[in-house]
Amino acid sequence: MSKGKDVAKRAKTEDHMYRYCRVIGCPHPARAGSENGLDRRFCRRHADQYSRHGSPYKKSYTATQLKPHRKVVRAWLKRNSDHVLVKNGVQRIEGLYSRSGTHTEAFRLAGMSPSERARKAWARLRESSVSPLKVIEAWLVIGLAIEADPAPEESVEFRRVQAAKLVHRLASGTHKRWERDVPVARGSTTTQKHVTELHKYPQSRGRVLRIFGEDIEEACKLVEEAFLSVRN
Ligand SMILES: [Zn+2]
């Protein structure tokens, strides 16, 4: 093949690669471009999924899926609260709390860099008096969930994002609850209580989750070694 043809062929192949979403079987075009470069490889839906869940393919674990793992981890942490590496993990997380600066309301976070927002997430946990043990619990629980998963997503990014999402939720967001009486049926005078709840947390997606997740991993690495060594 002449050099010219070879180049043309390669350009065509690359063009094809970039034109379609990288998720196998997805017929949608990749997004033309984006501010963070993450989504160029995927269609809108898969880019959004990747940003929120840490994998373009796999959804986040549900509370029900995590429940048995939580039980195991909680029991272990309770039995080992005096373990030197558990104490080490707690200290590291307290360090993240104390270095995180002033607390900032969720609605003021727009425009901040992902690393600033990750720091603010630690400040939010500190302000909500979240026990560092809960952060450790989240990291270990996600580890067990991935391990038990018959079709796991094994990238470290996925694990960081999954843990970050759990920890993110431990801090209080804005919570509202309304109760009102509504008829049990159309035109009925019998009423029942209807409760509406609104939970607003700072946006849980994108680079901030990766950075926050890396902080969690760093703080929990040694605890995890202890956890895995006694279990195996
Ligand atoms: Zn797609």
Side-chain angles (χ1 to χ4, degrees):
M1 190 186 288
S2 77
K3 205 177 170 196
K5 267 190 183 160
D6 191 31
V7 169
K9 191 185 169 203
R10 201 164 60 224
K12 207 176 166 192
T13 314
E14 280 174 11
D15 187 43
H16 181 81
M17 273 174 70
Y18 290 113
R19 201 137 31 107
Y20 291 96
C21 177
R22 295 283 180 90
V23 172
I24 294 167
C26 179
H28 300 294
R31 296 184 70 179
S34 73
E35 68 288 358
N36 56 21
L38 263 183
D39 356 332
R40 271 254 265 303
R41 294 171 289 160
F42 305 108
C43 67
R44 180 176 292 273
R45 187 170 72 84
H46 282 119
D48 186 60
Q49 147 80 29
Y50 181 34
S51 174
R52 287 172 191 276
H53 304 279
S55 160
Y57 321 95
K58 209 168 167 65
K59 285 265 186 279
S60 292
Y61 293 114
T62 63
T64 312
Q65 285 173 312
L66 296 178
K67 205 174 169 187
H69 306 304
R70 258 190 211 289
K71 226 175 133 184
V72 171
V73 171
R74 272 185 195 162
W76 184 82
L77 283 173
K78 208 171 167 188
R79 279 199 310 276
N80 292 279
S81 57
D82 285 334
H83 193 295
V84 65
L85 293 181
V86 174
K87 286 185 168 171
N88 171 283
V90 168
Q91 275 168 10
R92 282 165 186 261
I93 291 157
E94 282 169 350
L96 286 160
Y97 283 3
S98 62
R99 290 192 303 274
S100 62
T102 52
H103 171 248
T104 305
E105 293 295 340
F107 62 86
R108 291 191 200 277
L109 296 175
M112 284 188 182
S113 72
S115 44
E116 275 177 303
R117 279 188 284 137
R119 234 160 62 85
K120 293 297 177 190
W122 288 112
R124 209 157 46 242
L125 290 165
R126 184 196 63 217
E127 291 304 301
S128 309
S129 307
V130 172
S131 162
L133 287 170
K134 291 277 173 198
V135 179
I136 297 172
E137 180 184 312
W139 180 254
L140 298 179
V141 162
I142 293 297
L144 289 186
I146 293 170
E147 194 186 83
D149 192 333
E153 162 67 66
E154 283 168 322
S155 74
V156 66
E157 182 180 13
F158 178 69
R159 182 165 181 193
R160 285 176 184 163
V161 169
Q162 291 294 304
K165 288 173 83 82
L166 287 188
V167 175
H168 201 78
R169 296 199 159 197
L170 296 171
S172 50
T174 306
H175 305 280
K176 287 183 180 152
R177 191 170 188 275
W178 302 270
E179 262 185 31
R180 62 200 165 100
D181 294 315
V182 293
V184 292
R186 188 190 286 267
S188 170
T189 51
T190 316
T191 63
Q192 60 184 9
K193 283 251 178 287
H194 187 269
V195 180
T196 310
E197 291 188 19
L198 172 80
H199 303 286
K200 191 165 165 43
Y201 295 91
Q203 250 190 9
S204 179
R205 58 177 299 149
R207 284 270 301 146
V208 59
L209 285 183
R210 276 80 180 163
I211 296 168
F212 190 48
E214 200 179 340
D215 287 346
I216 298 168
E217 178 184 21
E218 201 55 44
C220 298
K221 232 192 303 204
L222 293 178
V223 188
E224 181 166 38
E225 273 178 28
F227 176 64
L228 295 178
S229 69
V230 292
R231 220 174 37 112
N232 292 337

